[in-house]
């Protein structure tokens, strides 16, 4: 399977614990995104990497959240001192860029997500 | 800033019938792209169809077509000949296409839950 993979798919943790999610993008994609989706809402942008550089972080990403993409391949999203409000689906996506005529649509390819439940 | 509005929290359709899912948008970008994604209960977001603001014709992909009305800022998804497997959440999304700025990220609406009845 050459799609975006995320691990773990489900994580249940107690408030105050740290959790880490991993995302392996499609190998030829240089862009990687993290989104968060809560119940009944659409995905909300968290952060964006182009290769290994983190180019944007949403205001949603508090100082308890940190994301890395060493060597421009896989990415990790760590949440420290989890709170119940962190309970959500964390979606990773990758793309090859594009968005200009003749260069493809630049659509995002999503993984199946990592569902976090904080008790 | 970009905003996507999906006013239908839920829709029902009979199998084999067509259904239209509404999407309106707001943006200050002179050129932009509009996307529809499907999210089954498994959670994965599946790309369905894309429409560029500069495209002269409405996009089509198999049973999916996009009714793009630029002046009304609407980009409705039409699913023809609905199947039971079409039951899922559907999200409309957009991003700017201008060079520079945040033209790499998608802004999503809240989604519409489509239920196809046998």
């Amino acid at each position: 399977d050459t799609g975006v993979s995320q691990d773990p798919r489900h994580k249940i943790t107690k408030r105050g614990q740290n959790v880490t999610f991993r995302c392996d993008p499609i190998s030829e994609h240089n862009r990687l995104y993290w989104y968060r989706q809560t119940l009944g809402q659409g995905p909300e942008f968290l952060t964006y990497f182009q290769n290994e550089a983190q180019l944007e972080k949403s205001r949603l990403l508090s100082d308890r959240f940190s994301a890395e993409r060493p060597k421009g391949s896989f990415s990790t999203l760590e949440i420290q001192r989890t709170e119940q409000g962190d309970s959500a689906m964390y979606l990773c996506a990758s793309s090859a860029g594009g968005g200009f005529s003749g260069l493809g649509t630049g659509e995002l390819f999503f993984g199946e997500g990592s569902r976090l439940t904080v008790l | 800033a970009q905003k996507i509005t999906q006013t239908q929290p839920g829709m029902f359709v009979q199998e084999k019938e067509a259904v239209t899912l509404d999407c309106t948008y707001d943006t200050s970008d002179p050129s932009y792209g509009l996307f529809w994604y499907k999210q089954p209960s498994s959670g994965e977001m599946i790309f369905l169809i894309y429409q560029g603001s500069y495209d002269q014709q409405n996009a089509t992909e198999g049973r999916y077509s996009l009714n793009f009305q630029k002046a009304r800022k609407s980009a409705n998804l039409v699913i023809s000949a609905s199947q039971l497997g079409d039951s899922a959440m559907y999200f409309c999304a957009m991003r700017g296409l201008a060079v520079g700025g945040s033209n790499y990220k998608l802004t999503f609406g809240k989604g519409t839950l489509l239920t196809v009845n046998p």
Side-chain angles (χ1 to χ4, degrees):
Chain A
D1 187 281
T2 57
V4 178
S5 62
Q6 293 188 243
D7 183 72
R9 293 289 314 281
H10 302 274
K11 179 71 175 179
I12 300 174
T13 190
K14 293 182 179 180
R15 187 177 57 181
Q17 298 295 305
N18 299 342
V19 297
T20 299
F21 301 114
R22 175 180 170 124
C23 172
D24 287 272
I26 294 172
S27 58
E28 59 267 30
H29 286 176
N30 63 340
R31 298 181 174 190
L32 187 145
Y33 314 76
W34 285 98
Y35 280 78
R36 182 171 69 186
Q37 186 179 21
T38 54
L39 200 62
Q41 302 294 318
E44 297 173 295
F45 172 79
L46 290 180
T47 190
Y48 161 68
F49 290 86
Q50 186 162 329
N51 299 311
E52 66 275 10
Q54 187 176 21
L55 297 186
E56 185 174 346
K57 292 173 58 174
S58 163
R59 290 173 298 172
L60 293 174
L61 218 61
S62 75
D63 56 6
R64 297 184 296 106
F65 289 71
S66 62
E68 295 181 345
R69 193 184 182 196
K71 303 179 182 178
S73 55
F74 71 92
S75 176
T76 58
L77 176 68
E78 180 183 15
I79 309 174
Q80 296 182 325
R81 306 181 302 282
T82 52
E83 301 173 355
Q84 288 184 326
D86 298 332
S87 296
M89 175 80 88
Y90 290 86
L91 294 165
C92 177
S94 68
S95 75
F100 304 98
S101 180
L103 295 177
T105 67
E107 75 263 26
L108 273 57
F109 294 81
F110 284 84
E112 292 184 310
S114 293
R115 183 172 296 281
L116 173 65
T117 302
V118 181
L119 302 177
Chain B
Q2 298 165 347
K3 184 177 181 180
I4 295 284
T5 302
Q6 294 181 255
T7 57
Q8 305 156 315
M11 288 284 287
F12 294 88
V13 65
Q14 288 297 122
E15 193 177 9
K16 300 181 184 178
E17 293 185 349
V19 63
T20 297
L21 306 183
D22 294 341
C23 172
T24 57
Y25 60 90
D26 194 18
T27 181
S28 57
D29 290 303
S31 61
Y32 46 89
L34 295 154
F35 301 76
W36 278 91
Y37 280 82
K38 171 185 179 181
Q39 187 178 42
S41 56
S42 61
E44 183 180 3
M45 299 283 285
I46 302 168
F47 168 71
L48 296 178
I49 194 167
Y50 168 84
Q51 177 84 45
S53 61
Y54 44 80
D55 291 334
Q56 295 299 312
Q57 293 186 322
N58 287 345
T60 60
E61 289 286 348
R63 295 186 299 110
Y64 304 108
S65 60
L66 203 152
N67 184 1
F68 179 48
Q69 298 186 47
K70 191 171 183 178
R72 299 180 64 178
K73 295 189 175 181
S74 73
N76 298 339
L77 177 69
V78 181
I79 305 174
S80 63
S82 297
Q83 302 172 357
L84 296 178
D86 293 335
S87 294
M89 283 291 290
Y90 288 80
F91 291 96
C92 181
M94 74 177 301
R95 68 184 182 95
L97 298 179
V99 175
S102 300
N103 67 349
Y104 43 78
K105 64 183 178 184
L106 293 182
T107 299
F108 287 85
K110 291 188 175 183
T112 296
L113 179 61
L114 177 66
T115 302
V116 180
N117 294 319

